[in-house]
Amino acid sequence: MRVLGIESTCDETAAAVVEADNAGRGKILSNAVLSQIAEHAAYGGVVPEIAARAHIDALDPLIRRALDEAGCTLADIDAVAAAAGPGLIGGVMIGLTMGKAIALAANKPFVAVNHLEGHALTPRLTDGVEFPYLLLLVSGGHSQLISVEGVGEYRRLGSTVDDALGEAFDKAAKLLGLPYPGGPQVEKAAALGDPDRFEFPRPMAGRRNPDFSFSGLKTAVRLEAERIAPLTDKDVCDLCASFQAAAVDVIVDRCRAALRLLAEKPPTALVAAGGVAANGAIRRGLARLCLESGLQLALPPVGLCSDNGAMIAWAGLERLRLGFVDGMDFAARPRWPLDSRQDPRWHGKA
């Protein structure tokens, strides 16, 4: 079974072909991704109109490239999957419309994929993780802990009450004068800094419910930076290191709280997904937690943590195997929680 996947929800344009054998093992045949970092760098963040226009220019050649690299044509594809949200509405509509058009022209089934579901199911593609597992989803727009109990069966245990972790990284980078995108720059500077120099708060630490809060941590960085200004290069590195250490402590503590909630039916693994899951310090912190908990840790390759077409193709393939397809009237959903209770398509099906 082969599926073409299309991703265009934010500032990466992507297309990929993924296949599964009779035993259900997945394989990425191609994964073409075009980042728009250069287009948005001057603005310090993603500009929706620029992103949408870039998707229009890039999507058609990327799809051709994905098919060529996979060594197949549309005749060899069993279905077309496209991210239908959540995300920037302009980009979502472009990818969704392209996916529908290809499926209609090639007479193939069409699958509308929740972008977050693509992240959630990636560890099944890369590591063959069995249900149920605990998902830590951390990106520029999301910080959630989710019990993944089946395809389309998602139970949100906790989420951020203010800023997402990726947003906090980016804002900390901006106030410290680091270039866009901020997350990788903070990690790079932190590697040269002293994580013990500044005592930053660990918001929500110790609380029973596994929610997140990063606004106070971000504010603490700003206040400390203003106190010691003007900043030297060493100051910036130490601030980044102390900020990152606090963020890792919060992530580990919140995952531990989620695992306590799942004690009666322990997950098979702890998995992390989303762009911030590429952060090395966070990956090491999760590894320590799993070592002490005796739990499997599944971390997708760094290249599959950020938005990509392979995760959309795989999520589409997983749904297609269960007989779930969507009509050409499926509308773009800029807001689309990954929660079974809020997705009427799954009621009585999964």
Side-chain angles (χ1 to χ4, degrees), residues 104-123:
L104 191 62
N107 195 27
K108 303 291 183 180
F110 173 71
V111 184
V113 172
N114 184 317
H115 170 90
L116 303 181
E117 183 174 42
H119 282 304
L121 297 178
T122 294

Side-chain angles (χ1 to χ4, degrees), residues 277-299:
N279 180 282
I282 290 176
R283 293 165 86 94
R284 291 189 293 274
L286 296 177
R288 291 192 298 270
L289 172 61
C290 287
L291 185 62
E292 73 179 44
S293 304
L295 189 63
Q296 176 190 356
L297 175 63
L299 297 173

Side-chain angles (χ1 to χ4, degrees), residues 11 20 62 80 93 99 111 118 149 151 185 196 203 207-208 233 238-239 283 303 336:
D11 61 338
L62 269 181
V80 179
M93 290 177 65
V111 184
E149 296 163 1
V151 177
Q185 298 298 328
D196 298 318
R207 296 199 182 186
R208 184 174 181 275
D233 289 345
D238 290 347
L239 284 164
R283 293 165 86 94
W336 191 359

Side-chain angles (χ1 to χ4, degrees), residues 112-331:
V113 172
N114 184 317
H115 170 90
L116 303 181
E117 183 174 42
H119 282 304
L121 297 178
T122 294
R124 288 176 52 77
L125 168 63
T126 58
D127 296 88
V129 179
E130 297 291 332
F131 298 122
Y133 53 87
L134 175 62
L135 168 68
L136 168 67
L137 179 58
V138 278
S139 67
H142 303 276
S143 293
Q144 300 179 9
L145 281 160
I146 298 167
S147 176
V148 181
E149 296 163 1
V151 177
E153 290 291 320
Y154 308 105
R155 182 161 56 96
R156 188 167 55 187
L157 305 174
S159 61
T160 182
V161 299
D162 40 57
D163 294 347
L165 180 55
E167 181 184 359
F169 265 91
D170 287 342
K171 288 182 176 178
K174 189 171 184 178
L175 69 88
L176 294 176
L178 297 176
Y180 174 85
Q185 298 298 328
V186 169
E187 182 179 9
K188 183 178 178 180
L192 304 174
D194 177 7
D196 298 318
R197 178 177 170 187
F198 300 103
E199 287 291 334
F200 289 141
R202 272 61 173 169
M204 311 289 277
R207 296 199 182 186
R208 184 174 181 275
N209 63 311
D211 285 330
F212 301 93
S213 173
F214 295 107
S215 180
L217 174 58
K218 175 196 65 183
T219 301
V221 175
R222 178 178 61 81
L223 293 175
E224 195 63 38
E226 291 173 351
R227 185 184 68 82
I228 64 174
L231 301 178
T232 65
D233 289 345
K234 183 179 186 306
D235 292 333
V236 171
C237 291
D238 290 347
L239 284 164
C240 287
S242 300
F243 165 78
Q244 182 174 264
V248 172
D249 287 348
V250 168
I251 289 293
V252 171
D253 178 82
R254 303 292 74 211
C255 287
R256 189 178 285 114
L259 289 172
R260 285 195 292 267
L261 291 183
L262 299 174
E264 292 187 4
K265 189 179 180 181
T268 62
L270 169 62
V271 308
V276 186
N279 180 282
I282 290 176
R283 293 165 86 94
R284 291 189 293 274
L286 296 177
R288 291 192 298 270
L289 172 61
C290 287
L291 185 62
E292 73 179 44
S293 304
L295 189 63
Q296 176 190 356
L297 175 63
L299 297 173
V302 170
L304 293 181
C305 288
S306 57
D307 297 348
N308 62 87
M311 71 181 194
I312 302 302
W314 177 253
L317 193 152
E318 290 255 47
R319 293 189 56 208
L320 186 66
R321 285 193 296 202
L322 296 176
F324 298 151
V325 296
D326 295 290
M328 294 298 152
D329 59 345
F330 196 97

